[in-house]
Each structure stands twice: as structure tokens, then as C-alpha cells.
Amino acid sequence: MKDILWSENQLVIRAGKGAKDRRVPIPASCVDPLRNQMETARRIWELDRKQSPGVGVSLPFQLARKYPGAPFAWQWFWIFPAANHCVHPRTRQIVRFHLLHDLLQRAVREAAIKVGLDGLITPHVLRHAYATHSREPIEALRELMGHASIITTAGYRHAAIEKATNPLDDLLDRGTEGRIAG
């Protein structure tokens, strides 16, 4: 929950591409659904506090040892918590984990099938589309995408196509005043 920065209208992505943290803007169309998801997560967190007070979330590195109450705090709870508790593979403790990325991939695939675009739309394709159609300056886009090199980001921009013109426009500029000779 602490990674939603409402005052800045941003999300903090932890250990994303290249194992880097970065911030991304929250699209206006996602604000209400995100708030609704937070309410759903809050109900799950409250249920855990009542019914399973010893079950918390897994924290990175040694944070749970340094801050023993943190795994049970709302600020550290997942926005998209898993439906059930599980055994943490390293610590063998029972924890509440987040939804796994393959669930998102499955949901995107099912949506693509539903609209007849099976095999054409994936989360990675959506990432490419965002980069290709973004109006952000190239350096800002580089940071948003988590690229180390601006050259990688530039490959998404298709600058030559963005500046392309239609040759039919030349006909209008030559005094034909909108008439195309046949």
C-alpha cells in the first residue's frame, strides 16, 4: 500500500525490469478501480488481523527482523493479495503473498481471446504499445520503462514514422486547390 503515492498520482514499481525501482503515473481511468481494489485488500487485511493474527506478508531482505510488526501493518500489505495463505519457500512461515504475474498474463490472454486477438496481445505487447505511443519526452520515457540506455527507448519511438507526411498533401500544395487530376 505504501507504494501508491496518491499525492503525486504515481505508483512505485519495486524491482521491475532490470531489478530497478521506478515510479510510473497512475492513469486517470485507473484511479477509481485502484481505490476499489484497495478497499477489497483492506477487507482481506482486516480479516487476517482478526482470524490469523500471526500471518503477515513477506518482506524484502531483513526488514521483518528489523521491524517485527511490519509484516502485519496495513502499509506493507499487498494491493493485490493472493486469495489464500501459503508457506514461504525460504522461511517456511505461513504468509499472505501477492497475486503472481502469471495470473495477469492469463487475464490478458483471456481478454484477448474474448475480443478475437488471441496470440496478438500480451502484457509485453502492451508495454511496447505504451512506449511507442507515449507523448513523454524520450528521457522521461526511458526512466518510466526502466531502460538503462536511451538507445533502447529510442527504438520504440519510430521517429521517422512520426514525422512522415502523405505524398498526396503535395498535390494540394501545387495549386490544384483540392482537385486531384485523373
Side-chain angles (χ1 to χ4, degrees):
M1 293 300 159
K2 65 181 184 42
D3 292 335
I4 301 175
L5 309 177
W6 288 113
S7 62
E8 299 172 47
N9 204 35
Q10 293 183 338
L11 293 176
V12 177
I13 306 295
R14 304 266 179 210
K17 186 172 176 85
K20 296 180 212 163
D21 295 350
R22 65 183 181 281
R23 292 178 173 201
V24 296
I26 301 172
S29 62
C30 293
V31 168
D32 288 339
L34 186 57
R35 288 191 189 278
N36 292 339
Q37 179 58 37
M38 286 180 69
E39 289 174 20
T40 299
R42 181 79 182 207
R43 287 191 295 274
I44 294 169
W45 176 78
E46 288 171 349
L47 195 62
D48 276 357
R49 298 296 48 85
K50 283 182 187 171
Q51 295 181 354
S52 307
V55 175
V57 298
S58 61
L59 297 181
F61 312 110
Q62 296 295 318
L63 285 175
R65 187 174 291 179
K66 187 173 183 179
Y67 304 107
F72 312 103
W74 168 244
Q75 294 85 347
W76 285 94
F77 200 69
W78 306 113
I79 297 167
F80 297 98
N84 300 304
H85 301 143
C86 65
V87 176
H88 193 289
R90 281 192 327 260
T91 66
R92 308 307 299 162
Q93 291 179 304
I94 297 176
V95 295
R96 169 82 64 182
F97 211 64
H98 58 77
L99 294 178
L100 300 177
H101 67 277
D102 59 339
L103 187 67
L104 173 66
Q105 291 170 333
R106 193 175 315 126
V108 170
R109 183 170 190 275
E110 288 171 6
I113 290 169
K114 194 174 190 177
V115 297
L117 296 173
D118 185 24
L120 299 175
I121 304 295
T122 66
H124 192 71
V125 167
L126 295 174
R127 177 180 162 80
H128 272 262
Y130 173 79
T132 299
H133 300 289
S134 175
R135 294 184 210 123
E136 297 293 330
I138 191 99
E139 182 57 32
L141 182 60
R142 182 194 68 75
E143 287 186 38
L144 287 169
M145 299 298 293
H147 294 153
S149 169
I150 197 107
I151 295 168
T152 304
T153 309
Y156 287 89
R157 293 315 284 271
H158 308 294
I161 294 171
E162 288 176 9
K163 293 181 174 40
T165 61
N166 190 312
L168 294 177
D169 292 341
D170 293 342
L171 295 175
L172 297 177
D173 293 339
R174 291 191 184 142
T176 59
E177 298 176 344
R179 292 178 290 139
I180 298 177

